[in-house]
Amino acid sequence: MKYVADLHLHSRYSRACSRDLELPNIQAACLQKGIDIIGSADFTHPAWFGNLHNQLAEDGSSGLYYLKAAPTKVRWLLSTELSLVYKDKGKTRRIHLVVHAPNLQAVKELNDFLDGKYNIRSDGRPILGIKAPDLVKLCLSINPRFLIYPAHIWTPWFSVFGSKSGFDTLEECFDEQTENIYAFETGLSSDPAMNWRVSQLDKLLMLSNSDAHSCHNLAREANILDLDELSYDRFYNLLKNNQKSLVKTIEFYPEEGMYHWDGHRACNFSCPPEQSKKLKNICPVCGKPLIIGVENRVEELADREIGFKPVGASDYVKLVELDKIIADSLDIKTRSSTKVQAFYNKLINELGSELKILLEIDIKEIERVAGGQIALGVARVRRGELEVVPGFDGQYGVVKIFTQKEREARQRKLF
Ligand SMILES: [Zn+2]
Ligand SMILES: [Zn+2]
């Protein structure tokens, strides 16, 4: 059976996250998006852990949970993100790790330990002064079936391979614990093809998660898992045994990610890696070093040419979220506009989940419900016919499915 899993998101208790991120709202969004397995988010935060403990119940002894008050097919997998900040080999390191737990008892034991030494109460994604290998050792000593892996592995400020405060190899980061790392997240700004160029990643399973800070960003990246049994143990084995054939990822266009190119947001300057090289990584506007993005950093650590595909690599599909397609198709600037939302809800109500609409539903059906323009938008995204102005220095890229010429022609027709 195929299941859509989004395993890294945040709760209302994480910094800069929406107040709406409560368990019932997240579940409603999962049904709308088409997510079957959702990460619990932020399990180290005491108040949020209280919610998980009180509102979720384990499905048998599967290690997966459901919402007691409104049981649906959605299953929760205990997950969190930790921010580790520490000195190692003479440099300050700042890295984010995804952690999955086999059950609530294991989470409680981890939380009790961390609470005695660190501040886990003020942020759903706590900052811990603990080295990555020590964190892995700690989790595995509590329960050997914890899973720990790099979050958004390439982003400049907070990742294992980040240009600002990361490492060049997995071994440098995880030392003797490297053998206990089974997976990594591509992050929004890179896609599998970029990661295939880095041979040290071959031994890890490539995963994609939304890292959503609000419900409407859920499933913007996700994993389609082929599982013969819906349980934590089955998921654990998938990662540990690197079963690439059982995973297909749903990807953001990497150019749309916030750190794809190099640049300075304040200077309104961005450029591809080739140009940064010519500029010696100095911003021509302010004269300070550029924020080096993901494409550049991948190039730096790549030991293979562009286009290389490892044998047995997992498959992937690049998508644009449905409300963005609708907005672009109707020439509306914001995806949250009432008109966009009305078409979005109509499509979901009549045709099924967002992922189903983006991936499977016949274009003629979409046309019947939402008109030719939106149907054409979806068709173009499926064929990869679009342009993206790349993101940089914390600013998202911009997807353009319809050209300026087409927009103008449409405007003329209207008036
Ligand atoms: Zn993060
Ligand atoms: Zn600048």
Side-chain angles (χ1 to χ4, degrees):
M1 273 283 278
K2 295 218 162 59
Y3 300 95
V4 174
D6 181 358
L7 304 171
H8 173 188
L9 59 144
H10 290 279
S11 76
R12 54 172 304 184
Y13 295 102
S14 275
R15 209 139 55 99
C17 284
S18 163
R19 300 284 100 190
D20 296 340
L21 286 159
E22 295 280 7
L23 293 171
N25 297 339
I26 295 171
Q27 173 165 281
C30 287
L31 294 169
Q32 206 170 50
K33 297 276 182 179
I35 297 168
D36 305 300
I37 308 172
I38 185 75
S40 69
D42 297 355
F43 65 46
T44 56
H45 192 275
W48 188 250
F49 178 80
N51 286 349
L52 300 178
H53 187 264
N54 296 330
Q55 296 179 38
L56 299 181
E58 189 169 353
D59 182 4
S61 56
S62 65
L64 300 180
Y65 293 74
Y66 62 92
L67 193 62
K68 270 191 283 190
T72 66
K73 62 170 189 154
V74 175
R75 289 294 170 272
W76 303 74
L77 193 145
L78 299 167
S79 307
T80 201
E81 184 184 34
L82 301 175
S83 180
L84 310 189
V85 178
Y86 57 97
K87 274 241 158 61
D88 188 19
K89 300 171 185 84
K91 278 174 75 178
T92 300
R93 315 289 179 162
R94 295 185 192 86
I95 64 170
H96 285 182
L97 299 176
V98 176
V99 181
H100 300 310
N103 53 55
L104 278 172
Q105 183 53 37
V107 172
K108 190 179 179 312
E109 284 176 45
L110 177 65
N111 290 358
D112 286 347
F113 179 87
L114 294 176
D115 200 18
K117 292 189 82 164
Y118 308 99
N119 177 6
I120 57 168
R121 293 173 174 268
S122 61
D123 194 339
R125 182 185 54 210
I127 297 170
L128 311 176
I130 180 171
K131 290 186 178 184
D134 295 339
L135 189 269
V136 177
K137 238 186 287 176
L138 169 67
C139 291
L140 298 182
S141 72
I142 290 169
N143 189 308
R145 294 179 94 74
F146 264 104
L147 288 161
I148 305 106
Y149 57 88
H152 43 75
I153 195 165
W154 295 104
T155 54
W157 298 101
F158 296 101
S159 75
V160 167
F161 285 165
S163 61
K164 283 286 173 190
S165 43
F167 300 83
D168 289 343
T169 66
L170 294 165
E171 286 74 15
E172 255 183 73
C173 177
F174 292 104
D175 285 333
E176 84 291 350
Q177 293 298 320
T178 308
E179 60 175 24
N180 292 319
I181 308 302
Y182 308 136
F184 74 98
E185 252 185 13
T186 59
L188 299 177
S189 298
S190 85
D191 65 7
M194 292 167 72
N195 288 279
W196 291 337
R197 298 183 58 205
V198 182
S199 63
Q200 58 168 318
L201 292 173
D202 287 358
K203 53 184 175 288
L204 304 184
L205 193 72
M206 204 180 300
L207 295 176
S208 280
N209 297 308
S210 70
D211 196 358
H213 288 36
S214 59
C215 286
H216 73 266
N217 283 335
L218 285 169
R220 59 184 174 178
E221 291 210 326
N223 313 282
I224 302 173
L225 309 176
D226 197 349
L227 300 175
D228 46 22
E229 173 196 292
L230 195 51
S231 70
Y232 182 88
D233 281 356
R234 190 65 194 85
F235 174 70
Y236 176 91
N237 290 334
L238 191 78
L239 266 65
K240 182 166 183 181
N241 302 323
N242 201 355
Q243 292 178 298
K244 290 190 165 79
S245 62
L246 302 184
V247 180
K248 177 174 177 174
T249 57
I250 293 168
E251 302 281 331
F252 224 49
Y253 274 81
E255 299 86 355
E256 201 189 344
M258 290 197 283
Y259 293 102
H260 189 71
W261 266 8
D262 309 332
H264 270 169
R265 187 142 59 139
C267 300
N268 197 22
F269 176 81
S270 65
C271 65
E274 312 85 78
Q275 199 182 338
S276 305
K277 209 182 230 172
K278 284 180 202 149
L279 295 167
K280 298 194 165 57
N281 293 341
I282 295 299
C283 172
V285 180
C286 71
K288 291 185 188 136
L290 292 167
I291 301 303
I292 297 302
V294 166
E295 193 178 51
N296 195 330
R297 184 65 178 147
V298 170
E299 190 65 51
E300 206 167 56
L301 297 191
D303 52 356
R304 293 166 173 161
E305 293 303 310
I306 289 176
F308 182 91
K309 186 175 179 182
V311 178
S314 44
D315 205 2
Y316 71 98
V317 56
K318 289 197 272 192
L319 287 182
V320 176
E321 296 134 290
L322 183 57
D323 53 357
K324 283 186 195 160
I325 298 176
I326 296 169
D328 200 57
S329 303
L330 301 177
D331 219 356
I332 293 171
K333 285 229 154 39
T334 55
R335 56 195 286 215
S336 56
S337 98
T338 320
K339 195 170 172 192
V340 171
Q341 289 308 312
F343 273 108
Y344 181 89
N345 292 330
K346 188 162 186 268
L347 280 162
I348 301 285
N349 290 337
E350 294 194 30
L351 299 179
S353 73
E354 175 173 343
L355 286 174
K356 207 169 157 196
I357 292 168
L358 292 174
L359 292 166
E360 292 169 24
I361 300 277
D362 197 284
I363 293 294
K364 286 206 182 74
E365 279 293 284
I366 298 172
E367 182 169 354
R368 180 182 60 78
V369 175
Q373 198 65 25
I374 290 171
L376 180 60
V378 174
R380 284 191 179 176
V381 169
R382 283 188 190 172
R383 296 194 295 259
E385 291 172 17
L386 50 90
E387 267 181 62
V388 190
V389 181
F392 61 96
D393 191 12
Q395 179 171 301
Y396 281 112
V398 183
V399 174
K400 291 181 177 173
I401 303 163
F402 293 90
T403 64
Q404 191 56 31
K405 254 195 187 149
E406 287 176 307
R407 279 172 218 285
E408 283 161 13
R410 216 185 295 155
Q411 287 299 322
R412 276 199 298 276
K413 239 194 242 168
L414 277 175
F415 298 105

